[in-house]
Amino acid sequence: ATIGVGGYGGILLGAYTKQVSDQRGLQRYFSNYDCNPIDYGLMAEIGFGEIQFFGKYNMSSLFQTSKGRPDLQSITFGIQLFHPFGWS
């Protein structure tokens, strides 16, 4: 079995959204949508053979609360299936 516990961090450098509709055609938006530019949290994983379970807890707020946005944190969890070939 493999076990891993640690932290992570990241910086939002920019955000881009492209939307295509029949009514408005092609629209492009360049904005950070009041998302928090700093991202950090905790993560853990445990693996058995070729199956690994992981979880992440985002300690930083998803949005910039100073701009009147709600204080929300995200939780991510899932299963990873390893590639059947080993590293060589």
Side-chain angles (χ1 to χ4, degrees):
T2 58
I3 298 173
V5 177
Y8 69 92
I11 299 173
L12 175 64
L13 298 177
Y16 167 76
T17 302
K18 180 171 77 171
Q19 182 180 25
V20 180
S21 68
D22 292 335
Q23 296 173 347
R24 297 183 182 170
L26 175 64
Q27 293 180 306
R28 294 186 174 123
Y29 302 100
F30 295 91
S31 174
N32 66 358
Y33 303 100
D34 294 334
C35 289
N36 195 349
I38 305 296
D39 182 26
Y40 58 90
L42 301 171
M43 59 189 295
E45 57 190 32
I46 185 167
F48 303 98
E50 295 184 0
I51 298 175
Q52 183 171 355
F53 301 93
F54 69 92
K56 266 175 68 172
Y57 173 66
N58 193 347
M59 295 173 65
S60 62
S61 179
L62 183 61
F63 297 108
Q64 295 178 11
T65 55
S66 62
K67 295 190 175 185
R69 300 291 183 199
D71 186 14
L72 301 173
Q73 284 80 21
S74 64
I75 297 174
T76 306
F77 56 90
I79 301 171
Q80 292 177 330
L81 302 176
F82 295 145
H83 196 276
F85 303 106
W87 299 93
S88 48

